[in-house]
Amino acid sequence: MGQGTVGMEIVRQMQGPLHAIFVPVGGGGLIAGIAAYVKRVSPEVKVIGVEPSDANAMALSLHHGERVMLDKVGGFADGVAVKEVGEETFCLCRELVDGVVLVSRDAICASIKDMFEEKRSILEPAGALALAGAEAYCKYYGLKGKNIVAITSGANMNFDKLRVVTELANVGRKQEAVLATILAEKPGSFKQFCELVGPMNITEFKYRCSSDKAAVVLYRSRASGKKQVCMSYMEFDLIFDPVEEIVVEIMG
Ligand SMILES: Cc1ncc(COP(=O)(O)O)c(C=O)c1O
């Protein structure tokens, strides 16, 4: 009931035609409530769910036409980390929801940073989810000049999580890349590594001794372009943790 009134507030406050409402999805209660109201009074408005790509129970369930239970679920956006969506909410979503957008953890972090920089508000990951989804959707469809709403639903943040967000936000904006290289634990290999990555603009560096034979070097590079990072990867045989693309999956 309360979830439906979110939809009512949006419709009442609309100033001009609304293209879409983006809603974070956990068990599906919020989006089902909003969709139930909005589709009744303004069926032309799209209601689009947003899930983390590693907590995509609703997208999978809609795709398969039945509720799917995830084996494991990513806990970064803990407000929406569910293994299975609700029975009733699934039925409503199947009928009423226009699509689901999946976004990466890095994209969520970038949206938290954007919100802070523009409004000085701190969102929790689940709260920034819809913002990241709206951005991915607009980019994917090349939408400009449309009215859209993203539900920024929560602010359950703590300093530990904020530290992770700070670290990943630039990766989400493709301004930084996170890389790892396995180095042989033998004289000269670190020197060789330095010579190989010499041209890269390294912003953080960690050396982790993992065994007598090898060590893992984790480092960040300010990306002047993805090309530079990928080239380094091929030339130097680095293990590249790809700067994840925002994944967009729109259901039928
Ligand atoms: C921050 C936040 N956003 C959104 C939701 C919506 O989740 P659901 O789809 O389960 O209604 C929740 C649920 O607890 C939440 O904590």
Side-chain angles (χ1 to χ4, degrees), residues 3 24-30 79-80 124 126-127 153-154:
Q3 293 144 326
V25 177
L30 183 59
V80 293
E124 68 176 270
S153 52

Side-chain angles (χ1 to χ4, degrees), residues 15-182:
Q15 293 171 349
L18 187 58
H19 180 74
I21 303 172
F22 292 85
V23 187
V25 177
L30 183 59
I31 194 169
I34 291 175
Y37 183 87
V38 170
K39 289 294 182 186
R40 183 99 190 200
V41 297
S42 303
E44 74 288 356
V45 176
K46 288 184 194 301
V47 177
I48 297 173
V50 188
E51 290 183 311
S53 45
D54 58 358
N56 57 346
M58 183 62 86
L60 279 180
S61 301
L62 291 174
H63 182 72
H64 291 287
E66 60 182 11
R67 284 192 302 152
V68 169
M69 168 87 86
L70 301 179
D71 288 339
K72 58 182 178 127
V73 58
F76 181 66
D78 48 3
V80 293
V82 303
K83 281 193 165 177
E84 191 180 27
V85 299
E87 199 175 336
E88 197 58 40
T89 55
F90 174 64
C91 292
L92 284 164
C93 288
R94 227 176 138 179
E95 198 188 323
L96 301 170
V97 164
D98 294 280
V100 178
V101 180
L102 302 178
V103 295
S104 70
R105 193 182 51 175
D106 302 340
I108 296 171
C109 293
S111 290
I112 294 175
K113 187 178 177 192
D114 287 346
M115 179 59 106
F116 178 74
E117 287 180 347
E118 278 186 33
K119 301 283 178 205
R120 289 288 180 263
S121 295
I122 298 179
L123 299 171
E124 68 176 270
L129 193 57
L131 207 55
E135 189 184 339
Y137 181 92
C138 291
K139 211 164 148 189
Y140 189 79
Y141 286 106
L143 291 189
K144 288 209 175 85
K146 300 270 187 199
N147 292 320
I148 57 163
V149 169
I151 309 284
T152 51
S153 52
N156 180 20
M157 179 59 92
N158 60 42
F159 275 99
D160 281 342
K161 208 160 232 187
L162 208 47
R163 186 175 48 80
V164 177
V165 170
T166 312
E167 293 207 343
L168 295 179
N170 286 343
V171 179
R173 282 284 164 263
K174 316 263 188 286
Q175 290 161 350
E176 239 179 7
V178 183
L179 299 118
T181 297
I182 295 177

